[in-house]
Amino acid sequence: MNSVDNVAKVLRLFTPDRSVLSVTEVSQLLALPKSSSSRLLKGMAEAGLLAVTELGAGYSVGNLIFETSRRHRAHSTLSVAADEALAQIVKATGHTGYIAMLDCIEVLGLRMRPGSKPLRVVTSPGDRLPAFCSSTGRAMLARLDDEAVRALYPTPWQPPSPNAPQTIDDLFAALATVREKGWSQATDEILPGVESIAVCVDDRESGERVALCISYSAAMISANEKSRIVTLLMRAGCEIGMKFDDEHWAAPRFAAFSAPSWNEAA
């Protein structure tokens, strides 16, 4: 299991700003001996998980990761349904949309639909964001009870901005609001000037959980346009949630969003 854990740790080291890893970097970042890091990276490359860069300076993500990711997306009926709904909302609003999943305390981008408005692409599929200070992250964390959330955050975090939750109690308060309203909002928390709204849907049978998100410039949106985005996302959440037996969306307070259907409103 230690080998499997180390493979996972290496893969998590890749970020938008770190697309290539050297033996020395892995050794330092994971506190492993250079000899162990070298064997680990070589073995991952032989298995197709990594690829040696052209100049041999390090390792990049291998084709097997992309192939597996494509297969997952192709067979994930929930994410497909969410993506189809998101495409309609993006077309109706012109704002960029995302589908994401929760991976421990991070949000992993699965799909992106570029909008037609000036703020088109903020993050790309495969990018990771802290869950506690993103709309998608809080939309999904809100499905957990407070004790489960506390277990995910045993130590204090470093907030990326004054607008992000500063403490675990701040996060609990934000999640309580999400549970009541059914949607999550993040404003100027990770990226300056960017606001986003998200809803979460579950597949009761498979246990899969994803969030749908619309992102836009906080300074360039009217109250009416924001309200429309909330309505479209909530109607999409209701429609998808009912299809996948997500009990959250069966709550009486969300009944108003089940008719007319979200795509008619779009």
Side-chain angles (χ1 to χ4, degrees), residues 212-251:
L212 296 78
C213 168
I214 293 292
S215 182
Y216 47 84
S217 169
M220 298 178 63
I221 190 168
S222 67
N224 286 340
E225 187 175 4
K226 179 176 172 180
S227 178
R228 182 171 181 242
I229 291 171
V230 170
T231 298
L232 291 172
L233 284 170
M234 289 291 285
R235 286 179 175 167
C238 274
E239 184 171 298
I240 298 168
M242 294 301 181
K243 179 179 179 181
F244 289 89
D245 202 19
D246 183 348
E247 293 181 348
H248 169 82
W249 291 103

Short mmCIF file of all heavy atoms in Angstrom, two decimals, residues 212-251:
data_model
loop_
_atom_site.label_atom_id
_atom_site.label_comp_id
_atom_site.label_asym_id
_atom_site.label_seq_id
_atom_site.Cartn_x
_atom_site.Cartn_y
_atom_site.Cartn_z
N LEU A 212 -22.26 21.60 -10.46
CA LEU A 212 -22.37 22.43 -11.65
C LEU A 212 -22.12 23.86 -11.21
O LEU A 212 -22.68 24.32 -10.21
CB LEU A 212 -23.75 22.35 -12.30
CG LEU A 212 -24.24 21.03 -12.88
CD1 LEU A 212 -24.73 20.08 -11.79
CD2 LEU A 212 -25.40 21.29 -13.86
N CYS A 213 -21.33 24.59 -11.98
CA CYS A 213 -20.94 25.93 -11.57
C CYS A 213 -20.95 26.89 -12.75
O CYS A 213 -20.58 26.52 -13.87
CB CYS A 213 -19.54 25.87 -10.95
SG CYS A 213 -18.74 27.46 -10.70
N ILE A 214 -21.38 28.11 -12.50
CA ILE A 214 -21.27 29.19 -13.47
C ILE A 214 -20.39 30.27 -12.85
O ILE A 214 -20.58 30.67 -11.70
CB ILE A 214 -22.65 29.79 -13.83
CG1 ILE A 214 -23.48 28.77 -14.60
CG2 ILE A 214 -22.49 31.07 -14.65
CD1 ILE A 214 -22.96 28.45 -15.99
N SER A 215 -19.40 30.75 -13.62
CA SER A 215 -18.43 31.73 -13.13
C SER A 215 -18.48 32.98 -13.99
O SER A 215 -18.68 32.91 -15.20
CB SER A 215 -17.03 31.11 -13.16
OG SER A 215 -16.08 32.00 -12.65
N TYR A 216 -18.27 34.15 -13.35
CA TYR A 216 -18.40 35.41 -14.08
C TYR A 216 -17.66 36.51 -13.31
O TYR A 216 -17.23 36.33 -12.15
CB TYR A 216 -19.86 35.78 -14.25
CG TYR A 216 -20.66 35.65 -12.97
CD1 TYR A 216 -20.69 36.67 -12.02
CD2 TYR A 216 -21.36 34.48 -12.69
CE1 TYR A 216 -21.39 36.54 -10.84
CE2 TYR A 216 -22.07 34.34 -11.51
CZ TYR A 216 -22.09 35.37 -10.59
OH TYR A 216 -22.77 35.24 -9.42
N SER A 217 -17.55 37.68 -13.92
CA SER A 217 -16.94 38.84 -13.28
C SER A 217 -17.93 39.42 -12.29
O SER A 217 -19.05 39.80 -12.66
CB SER A 217 -16.56 39.89 -14.32
OG SER A 217 -16.20 41.10 -13.69
N ALA A 218 -17.53 39.52 -11.02
CA ALA A 218 -18.44 40.01 -9.99
C ALA A 218 -18.86 41.45 -10.23
O ALA A 218 -19.96 41.86 -9.84
CB ALA A 218 -17.77 39.88 -8.62
N ALA A 219 -18.00 42.24 -10.88
CA ALA A 219 -18.29 43.66 -11.08
C ALA A 219 -19.16 43.93 -12.30
O ALA A 219 -19.64 45.05 -12.49
CB ALA A 219 -16.98 44.43 -11.21
N MET A 220 -19.36 42.90 -13.12
CA MET A 220 -20.05 43.13 -14.40
C MET A 220 -21.37 42.37 -14.50
O MET A 220 -21.83 42.08 -15.60
CB MET A 220 -19.13 42.74 -15.56
CG MET A 220 -17.85 43.55 -15.63
SD MET A 220 -16.74 43.03 -16.96
CE MET A 220 -17.75 43.39 -18.41
N ILE A 221 -21.99 42.06 -13.37
CA ILE A 221 -23.23 41.30 -13.42
C ILE A 221 -24.31 42.05 -12.64
O ILE A 221 -24.05 42.61 -11.57
CB ILE A 221 -23.04 39.88 -12.85
CG1 ILE A 221 -24.27 39.02 -13.12
CG2 ILE A 221 -22.70 39.91 -11.37
CD1 ILE A 221 -24.06 37.55 -12.86
N SER A 222 -25.51 42.06 -13.18
CA SER A 222 -26.63 42.73 -12.51
C SER A 222 -27.31 41.76 -11.55
O SER A 222 -27.13 40.54 -11.64
CB SER A 222 -27.64 43.22 -13.54
OG SER A 222 -28.26 42.11 -14.19
N ALA A 223 -28.10 42.30 -10.66
CA ALA A 223 -28.84 41.46 -9.71
C ALA A 223 -29.80 40.54 -10.44
O ALA A 223 -29.97 39.38 -10.07
CB ALA A 223 -29.59 42.34 -8.71
N ASN A 224 -30.43 41.04 -11.50
CA ASN A 224 -31.38 40.22 -12.26
C ASN A 224 -30.68 39.07 -12.96
O ASN A 224 -31.19 37.94 -13.01
CB ASN A 224 -32.12 41.07 -13.29
CG ASN A 224 -33.15 41.98 -12.66
OD1 ASN A 224 -33.60 41.73 -11.53
ND2 ASN A 224 -33.55 43.04 -13.36
N GLU A 225 -29.50 39.35 -13.53
CA GLU A 225 -28.76 38.30 -14.23
C GLU A 225 -28.29 37.23 -13.25
O GLU A 225 -28.36 36.03 -13.52
CB GLU A 225 -27.57 38.89 -14.97
CG GLU A 225 -26.84 37.90 -15.86
CD GLU A 225 -25.73 38.54 -16.67
OE1 GLU A 225 -25.48 39.76 -16.47
OE2 GLU A 225 -25.11 37.84 -17.49
N LYS A 226 -27.83 37.65 -12.10
CA LYS A 226 -27.40 36.71 -11.07
C LYS A 226 -28.57 35.84 -10.61
O LYS A 226 -28.43 34.62 -10.45
CB LYS A 226 -26.80 37.47 -9.89
CG LYS A 226 -26.34 36.59 -8.75
CD LYS A 226 -25.67 37.42 -7.68
CE LYS A 226 -25.38 36.62 -6.45
NZ LYS A 226 -24.72 37.42 -5.40
N SER A 227 -29.72 36.46 -10.41
CA SER A 227 -30.91 35.71 -10.01
C SER A 227 -31.29 34.68 -11.07
O SER A 227 -31.70 33.55 -10.74
CB SER A 227 -32.07 36.67 -9.77
OG SER A 227 -33.25 35.98 -9.43
N ARG A 228 -31.13 35.03 -12.33
CA ARG A 228 -31.45 34.10 -13.42
C ARG A 228 -30.50 32.91 -13.40
O ARG A 228 -30.91 31.77 -13.62
CB ARG A 228 -31.38 34.82 -14.76
CG ARG A 228 -31.75 33.93 -15.95
CD ARG A 228 -31.88 34.75 -17.20
NE ARG A 228 -32.26 33.92 -18.32
CZ ARG A 228 -31.52 33.73 -19.41
NH1 ARG A 228 -30.35 34.33 -19.52
NH2 ARG A 228 -31.94 32.96 -20.39
N ILE A 229 -29.22 33.16 -13.15
CA ILE A 229 -28.24 32.08 -13.07
C ILE A 229 -28.60 31.12 -11.95
O ILE A 229 -28.56 29.89 -12.11
CB ILE A 229 -26.82 32.64 -12.87
CG1 ILE A 229 -26.36 33.38 -14.14
CG2 ILE A 229 -25.83 31.53 -12.53
CD1 ILE A 229 -25.07 34.15 -13.97
N VAL A 230 -28.95 31.68 -10.79
CA VAL A 230 -29.36 30.84 -9.65
C VAL A 230 -30.56 29.98 -10.04
O VAL A 230 -30.58 28.76 -9.78
CB VAL A 230 -29.71 31.71 -8.43
CG1 VAL A 230 -30.36 30.85 -7.34
CG2 VAL A 230 -28.45 32.38 -7.88
N THR A 231 -31.54 30.59 -10.69
CA THR A 231 -32.75 29.85 -11.07
C THR A 231 -32.43 28.73 -12.05
O THR A 231 -32.91 27.59 -11.90
CB THR A 231 -33.78 30.81 -11.70
OG1 THR A 231 -34.15 31.79 -10.73
CG2 THR A 231 -35.02 30.05 -12.15
N LEU A 232 -31.61 29.02 -13.05
CA LEU A 232 -31.26 28.00 -14.04
C LEU A 232 -30.49 26.85 -13.40
O LEU A 232 -30.75 25.67 -13.70
CB LEU A 232 -30.44 28.62 -15.17
CG LEU A 232 -31.17 29.59 -16.09
CD1 LEU A 232 -30.20 30.28 -17.03
CD2 LEU A 232 -32.26 28.87 -16.88
N LEU A 233 -29.54 27.16 -12.52
CA LEU A 233 -28.79 26.10 -11.86
C LEU A 233 -29.69 25.28 -10.92
O LEU A 233 -29.56 24.05 -10.87
CB LEU A 233 -27.62 26.70 -11.06
CG LEU A 233 -26.41 27.16 -11.88
CD1 LEU A 233 -25.44 27.94 -11.01
CD2 LEU A 233 -25.69 25.96 -12.51
N MET A 234 -30.57 25.94 -10.21
CA MET A 234 -31.46 25.23 -9.30
C MET A 234 -32.42 24.32 -10.08
O MET A 234 -32.71 23.18 -9.67
CB MET A 234 -32.24 26.22 -8.44
CG MET A 234 -31.38 26.93 -7.40
SD MET A 234 -30.82 25.83 -6.09
CE MET A 234 -32.34 25.64 -5.14
N ARG A 235 -32.93 24.80 -11.20
CA ARG A 235 -33.83 23.96 -12.00
C ARG A 235 -33.07 22.78 -12.60
O ARG A 235 -33.61 21.67 -12.67
CB ARG A 235 -34.48 24.81 -13.10
CG ARG A 235 -35.56 25.73 -12.55
CD ARG A 235 -36.19 26.59 -13.61
NE ARG A 235 -37.29 27.37 -13.05
CZ ARG A 235 -37.87 28.39 -13.65
NH1 ARG A 235 -37.46 28.76 -14.86
NH2 ARG A 235 -38.85 29.02 -13.07
N ALA A 236 -31.83 23.01 -13.02
CA ALA A 236 -31.02 21.90 -13.52
C ALA A 236 -30.75 20.91 -12.40
O ALA A 236 -30.83 19.69 -12.61
CB ALA A 236 -29.70 22.44 -14.08
N GLY A 237 -30.43 21.42 -11.20
CA GLY A 237 -30.20 20.53 -10.07
C GLY A 237 -31.41 19.68 -9.75
O GLY A 237 -31.28 18.47 -9.51
N CYS A 238 -32.58 20.30 -9.76
CA CYS A 238 -33.82 19.56 -9.49
C CYS A 238 -34.06 18.48 -10.53
O CYS A 238 -34.36 17.33 -10.21
CB CYS A 238 -35.01 20.52 -9.47
SG CYS A 238 -35.29 21.31 -7.88
N GLU A 239 -33.92 18.84 -11.80
CA GLU A 239 -34.20 17.89 -12.87
C GLU A 239 -33.23 16.71 -12.83
O GLU A 239 -33.63 15.55 -12.93
CB GLU A 239 -34.14 18.59 -14.23
CG GLU A 239 -34.52 17.68 -15.39
CD GLU A 239 -34.67 18.46 -16.68
OE1 GLU A 239 -35.55 19.34 -16.74
OE2 GLU A 239 -33.89 18.19 -17.61
N ILE A 240 -31.95 17.01 -12.68
CA ILE A 240 -30.94 15.95 -12.64
C ILE A 240 -31.08 15.15 -11.35
O ILE A 240 -30.98 13.91 -11.35
CB ILE A 240 -29.52 16.54 -12.75
CG1 ILE A 240 -29.35 17.26 -14.10
CG2 ILE A 240 -28.46 15.45 -12.61
CD1 ILE A 240 -28.10 18.12 -14.17
N GLY A 241 -31.29 15.87 -10.24
CA GLY A 241 -31.43 15.19 -8.96
C GLY A 241 -32.58 14.20 -8.94
O GLY A 241 -32.45 13.08 -8.41
N MET A 242 -33.71 14.58 -9.49
CA MET A 242 -34.86 13.68 -9.54
C MET A 242 -34.56 12.46 -10.42
O MET A 242 -34.93 11.33 -10.10
CB MET A 242 -36.10 14.41 -10.08
CG MET A 242 -36.60 15.51 -9.17
SD MET A 242 -37.06 14.91 -7.53
CE MET A 242 -37.61 16.44 -6.76
N LYS A 243 -33.84 12.69 -11.49
CA LYS A 243 -33.51 11.60 -12.41
C LYS A 243 -32.61 10.58 -11.75
O LYS A 243 -32.73 9.37 -11.99
CB LYS A 243 -32.83 12.17 -13.66
CG LYS A 243 -32.42 11.12 -14.68
CD LYS A 243 -31.78 11.77 -15.90
CE LYS A 243 -31.33 10.73 -16.91
NZ LYS A 243 -30.68 11.36 -18.10
N PHE A 244 -31.70 11.04 -10.87
CA PHE A 244 -30.72 10.14 -10.23
C PHE A 244 -31.06 9.85 -8.77
O PHE A 244 -30.21 9.42 -8.02
CB PHE A 244 -29.31 10.72 -10.37
CG PHE A 244 -28.77 10.66 -11.77
CD1 PHE A 244 -28.99 11.70 -12.66
CD2 PHE A 244 -28.08 9.54 -12.22
CE1 PHE A 244 -28.51 11.65 -13.96
CE2 PHE A 244 -27.60 9.48 -13.52
CZ PHE A 244 -27.82 10.54 -14.40
N ASP A 245 -32.31 10.11 -8.40
CA ASP A 245 -32.81 9.75 -7.07
C ASP A 245 -32.03 10.44 -5.96
O ASP A 245 -31.73 9.84 -4.93
CB ASP A 245 -32.77 8.23 -6.89
CG ASP A 245 -33.73 7.75 -5.80
OD1 ASP A 245 -34.65 8.51 -5.47
OD2 ASP A 245 -33.54 6.63 -5.30
N ASP A 246 -31.70 11.71 -6.18
CA ASP A 246 -30.99 12.51 -5.18
C ASP A 246 -32.04 13.08 -4.22
O ASP A 246 -32.77 14.02 -4.57
CB ASP A 246 -30.22 13.62 -5.88
CG ASP A 246 -29.39 14.47 -4.92
OD1 ASP A 246 -29.58 14.34 -3.70
OD2 ASP A 246 -28.56 15.27 -5.40
N GLU A 247 -32.10 12.55 -3.01
CA GLU A 247 -33.13 12.94 -2.05
C GLU A 247 -33.06 14.41 -1.66
O GLU A 247 -34.07 15.01 -1.26
CB GLU A 247 -33.03 12.07 -0.80
CG GLU A 247 -33.36 10.60 -1.04
CD GLU A 247 -33.26 9.77 0.23
OE1 GLU A 247 -32.71 10.30 1.23
OE2 GLU A 247 -33.73 8.62 0.22
N HIS A 248 -31.90 15.00 -1.77
CA HIS A 248 -31.74 16.42 -1.42
C HIS A 248 -32.73 17.29 -2.18
O HIS A 248 -33.34 18.21 -1.61
CB HIS A 248 -30.31 16.85 -1.73
CG HIS A 248 -30.09 18.33 -1.66
ND1 HIS A 248 -29.87 19.00 -0.49
CD2 HIS A 248 -30.07 19.28 -2.65
CE1 HIS A 248 -29.71 20.30 -0.73
NE2 HIS A 248 -29.82 20.49 -2.03
N TRP A 249 -32.90 16.99 -3.48
CA TRP A 249 -33.74 17.85 -4.32
C TRP A 249 -35.23 17.55 -4.17
O TRP A 249 -36.05 18.25 -4.76
CB TRP A 249 -33.31 17.70 -5.78
CG TRP A 249 -31.96 18.30 -6.01
CD1 TRP A 249 -30.78 17.63 -6.16
CD2 TRP A 249 -31.64 19.68 -6.08
NE1 TRP A 249 -29.74 18.52 -6.32
CE2 TRP A 249 -30.23 19.79 -6.27
CE3 TRP A 249 -32.40 20.86 -5.99
CZ2 TRP A 249 -29.59 21.01 -6.39
CZ3 TRP A 249 -31.75 22.08 -6.09
CH2 TRP A 249 -30.37 22.15 -6.30
N ALA A 250 -35.57 16.54 -3.37
CA ALA A 250 -36.98 16.23 -3.13
C ALA A 250 -37.57 17.08 -2.00
O ALA A 250 -38.77 17.01 -1.73
CB ALA A 250 -37.14 14.75 -2.79
N ALA A 251 -36.74 17.90 -1.34
CA ALA A 251 -37.21 18.73 -0.24
C ALA A 251 -38.30 19.69 -0.73
O ALA A 251 -38.18 20.27 -1.82
CB ALA A 251 -36.05 19.51 0.37
#
